[in-house]
Amino acid sequence: MQRRLLLQSAAATSLLGLAACATPTVPSRARVVVVGGGYGGATAAKYVRLLSDYRIDVVLVEPNASFISCPLSNLVIGGSRRMADITTPYSALSSRHGVRVVRDHASAIDTRRKTVTLAGGPVIGYDKLVVSPGVDLQLGAIEGLQAANASGQLLHAWKAGPETAALRRQLEAMPDGGVYAITVPAQPYRCPPGPYERACQVAWYFKQAKPRSKVLILDANPDVTSKGALFKKVWAEQYPGMVEFRPQHKVVAVDPRQGLIKFEVQDDVRAQVLNVLPPMRAGAIAVQAGLNNLANNRWCGVDWLTFESSVAPDVHVLGDSIQIAPGMPKSGHMANSHAKVAAAAIVARLSGQEPNPAPMLTNTCYSYVNDRQVIHVASVHAFSTAQKTFLPVPGSGGLSPAPNTLEGVYAWNWAQNIWADTVG
């Protein structure tokens, strides 16, 4: 444990872009409030404490008692892992790093008064605010979806938690010979390869337990949005005749009583298990605060050097809620990277210093195509002073040549490491 903390401290110094012997001079009563305890928010809360040598007070507002990882949650749906395997309590943030974790929803943000109002009533003031609420699933954009989801008939399971386990139960209850249909919204959406990984996981389960069943992927996009050639190879070789991919299928309505999905142009599709992923936008609290200023008010704009909102001073927005930079995915690993750059910038500014002028981000996204084999895509992104955004570093990262079991080992180890880095 001491070695881990030492490594984190060394990483913290490099993030600040300061000399190793430099010690930030931080006002003793400075307070950073973080809204949302996912890959972005939890990491930011921890790293503000680390980078300031525990001089800055940090309050994390998060309604859940534990961190549940969206990455790897598809394995629960496929049946090779349990919810407990992807769940980590927030307790270490408090006991090890002194983050005050408040279990509540943030109901309102007043960026002028610099306050956060909690659903339970208290109001918290801040010097700096981090907003990392993930995405808001626009259920109302598809006729019939909001009511069907509220009743539990039709699930998205795109926020890991109760719906993840419920979707698994629906698959278990489905008769052999039935159809599972997953719809993919038009880009951008959270986790580009996620729907195709989920299709693989469901197909793997069907292959073991319901071999006469079928998986339909109904995609609003013209083609598979991530790792396309690799996924198509897997579907053809590992799940021949079981997985069918249909592009340019934009969902407009659902009828859960009839088991129907209706499309803008194509014929209706009937299935026994309907897994509809609606369009997405910045998380609801970001919208309430007026931070969603880009792409028809769907996403939040930021100053990429610091992740400070382009419309609200002293507010930093992370993760899936932001309008992405070129080549940048909405992923858990990327949110973790955002958080470290933002935390460094916050500590620098509160210390009266300039933020690191040349931050970098990394991303790796693993996709399980069965219970053991994995494919990945990776990238490195450098801040461009000229363009004032992050750009992919030429020649960095890349794709797996083919699915393999060794990458399955890497993927699980990646998960253990990033969970420890985020909430450990």
Side-chain angles (χ1 to χ4, degrees), residues 4-47:
R4 177 182 290 172
L5 290 174
L6 178 63
L7 290 172
Q8 289 172 339
S9 180
T13 301
S14 68
L15 279 168
L16 278 170
L18 305 173
C21 61
T23 301
T25 302
V26 180
S28 60
R29 298 183 64 84
R31 175 187 285 168
V32 173
V33 175
V34 180
V35 175
Y39 278 93
T43 304
K46 174 180 174 178
Y47 272 82

Side-chain angles (χ1 to χ4, degrees), residues 14-17 303-307 328 334 337-345 354-362 380-385 388-393:
S14 68
L15 279 168
L16 278 170
D303 173 352
W304 287 107
L305 186 64
T306 62
F307 288 87
M328 179 182 289
M334 184 56 73
S337 290
H338 291 172
K340 293 172 183 175
V341 173
E354 289 302 309
N356 182 356
M360 299 189 74
L361 307 170
T362 62
V380 179
H381 306 253
F383 181 75
S384 167
T385 303
K388 296 183 179 180
T389 189
F390 281 94
L391 299 174
V393 176

Side-chain angles (χ1 to χ4, degrees), residues 74-75 78 80 197-205 368-371:
N74 283 333
L75 299 184
S80 63
E197 180 194 52
R198 181 172 292 182
C200 290
Q201 286 301 302
V202 174
W204 179 78
Y205 167 62
Y368 279 80
V369 299
N370 54 41
D371 64 324

Side-chain angles (χ1 to χ4, degrees), residues 300-365:
C300 304
V302 297
D303 173 352
W304 287 107
L305 186 64
T306 62
F307 288 87
E308 187 173 26
S309 167
S310 56
V311 294
D314 298 317
V315 178
H316 299 252
V317 188
L318 311 177
D320 296 337
S321 280
I322 64 176
Q323 173 71 6
I324 53 177
M328 179 182 289
K330 292 182 181 291
S331 74
H333 192 139
M334 184 56 73
N336 173 273
S337 290
H338 291 172
K340 293 172 183 175
V341 173
I346 288 168
V347 173
R349 287 276 169 81
L350 288 174
S351 306
Q353 301 179 42
E354 289 302 309
N356 182 356
M360 299 189 74
L361 307 170
T362 62
N363 182 71
T364 304
C365 183

Side-chain angles (χ1 to χ4, degrees), residues 174-243:
M174 191 191 86
D176 190 11
V179 175
Y180 160 81
I182 182 169
T183 72
V184 185
Q187 289 187 296
Y189 59 87
R190 164 185 277 180
C191 190
Y196 316 111
E197 180 194 52
R198 181 172 292 182
C200 290
Q201 286 301 302
V202 174
W204 179 78
Y205 167 62
F206 285 170
K207 192 174 180 179
Q208 317 307 310
K210 304 177 190 288
R212 296 188 296 110
S213 299
K214 188 170 183 177
V215 174
L216 281 181
I217 307 166
L218 306 164
D219 199 328
N221 300 285
D223 205 349
V224 177
T225 60
S226 178
K227 310 176 198 174
L230 288 167
F231 278 120
K232 289 177 180 179
K233 181 178 175 65
V234 167
W235 298 334
E237 294 181 356
Q238 297 193 25
Y239 311 113
M242 180 176 281
V243 176

